[in-house]
PDB file of all heavy atoms in Angstrom:
ATOM      1  N   LYS A  47     128.570  85.867 121.976  1.00  0.00           N
ATOM      2  CA  LYS A  47     127.699  85.480 123.042  1.00  0.00           C
ATOM      3  C   LYS A  47     126.567  86.443 123.249  1.00  0.00           C
ATOM      4  O   LYS A  47     125.418  86.034 123.330  1.00  0.00           O
ATOM      5  CB  LYS A  47     128.515  85.257 124.393  1.00  0.00           C
ATOM      6  CG  LYS A  47     129.690  84.323 124.289  1.00  0.00           C
ATOM      7  CD  LYS A  47     130.407  84.246 125.607  1.00  0.00           C
ATOM      8  CE  LYS A  47     131.050  85.520 126.043  1.00  0.00           C
ATOM      9  NZ  LYS A  47     132.155  86.038 125.189  1.00  0.00           N
ATOM     10  N   THR A  48     126.890  87.717 123.403  1.00  0.00           N
ATOM     11  CA  THR A  48     125.852  88.723 123.694  1.00  0.00           C
ATOM     12  C   THR A  48     124.877  88.826 122.516  1.00  0.00           C
ATOM     13  O   THR A  48     123.696  88.990 122.713  1.00  0.00           O
ATOM     14  CB  THR A  48     126.500  90.095 123.922  1.00  0.00           C
ATOM     15  OG1 THR A  48     127.245  89.990 125.175  1.00  0.00           O
ATOM     16  CG2 THR A  48     125.466  91.174 124.141  1.00  0.00           C
ATOM     17  N   GLN A  88     124.437  92.767 129.644  1.00  0.00           N
ATOM     18  CA  GLN A  88     125.892  92.993 129.929  1.00  0.00           C
ATOM     19  C   GLN A  88     126.054  94.412 130.352  1.00  0.00           C
ATOM     20  O   GLN A  88     126.824  94.714 131.242  1.00  0.00           O
ATOM     21  CB  GLN A  88     126.751  92.647 128.690  1.00  0.00           C
ATOM     22  CG  GLN A  88     128.218  92.662 128.953  1.00  0.00           C
ATOM     23  CD  GLN A  88     129.024  92.043 127.840  1.00  0.00           C
ATOM     24  OE1 GLN A  88     128.497  91.602 126.833  1.00  0.00           O
ATOM     25  NE2 GLN A  88     130.342  91.945 128.049  1.00  0.00           N
ATOM     26  N   ASP A 164     123.758  87.959 131.218  1.00  0.00           N
ATOM     27  CA  ASP A 164     124.960  88.182 130.434  1.00  0.00           C
ATOM     28  C   ASP A 164     126.054  88.773 131.376  1.00  0.00           C
ATOM     29  O   ASP A 164     126.015  89.891 131.698  1.00  0.00           O
ATOM     30  CB  ASP A 164     124.602  89.159 129.299  1.00  0.00           C
ATOM     31  CG  ASP A 164     125.648  89.120 128.174  1.00  0.00           C
ATOM     32  OD1 ASP A 164     126.638  88.364 128.290  1.00  0.00           O
ATOM     33  OD2 ASP A 164     125.383  89.738 127.147  1.00  0.00           O
ATOM     34  N   GLU A 165     126.937  87.900 131.760  1.00  0.00           N
ATOM     35  CA  GLU A 165     128.014  88.256 132.678  1.00  0.00           C
ATOM     36  C   GLU A 165     127.518  88.915 133.995  1.00  0.00           C
ATOM     37  O   GLU A 165     127.841  90.064 134.307  1.00  0.00           O
ATOM     38  CB  GLU A 165     129.118  89.106 132.012  1.00  0.00           C
ATOM     39  CG  GLU A 165     129.710  88.393 130.813  1.00  0.00           C
ATOM     40  CD  GLU A 165     130.908  89.166 130.271  1.00  0.00           C
ATOM     41  OE1 GLU A 165     131.634  89.727 131.091  1.00  0.00           O
ATOM     42  OE2 GLU A 165     131.134  89.120 129.052  1.00  0.00           O
ATOM     43  N   THR A 196     126.168  83.791 130.553  1.00  0.00           N
ATOM     44  CA  THR A 196     127.516  83.934 130.053  1.00  0.00           C
ATOM     45  C   THR A 196     128.415  84.357 131.136  1.00  0.00           C
ATOM     46  O   THR A 196     127.975  85.067 132.072  1.00  0.00           O
ATOM     47  CB  THR A 196     127.599  84.947 128.865  1.00  0.00           C
ATOM     48  OG1 THR A 196     127.686  86.269 129.455  1.00  0.00           O
ATOM     49  CG2 THR A 196     126.444  84.878 127.902  1.00  0.00           C
TER      50      THR A 196
HETATM   51 MG1  LIG B 302     129.138  89.997 125.577  1.00  0.00          MG
END
Side-chain angles (χ1 to χ4, degrees):
K47 304 179 298 294
T48 295
Q88 186 167 4
D164 200 354
E165 299 190 35
T196 79

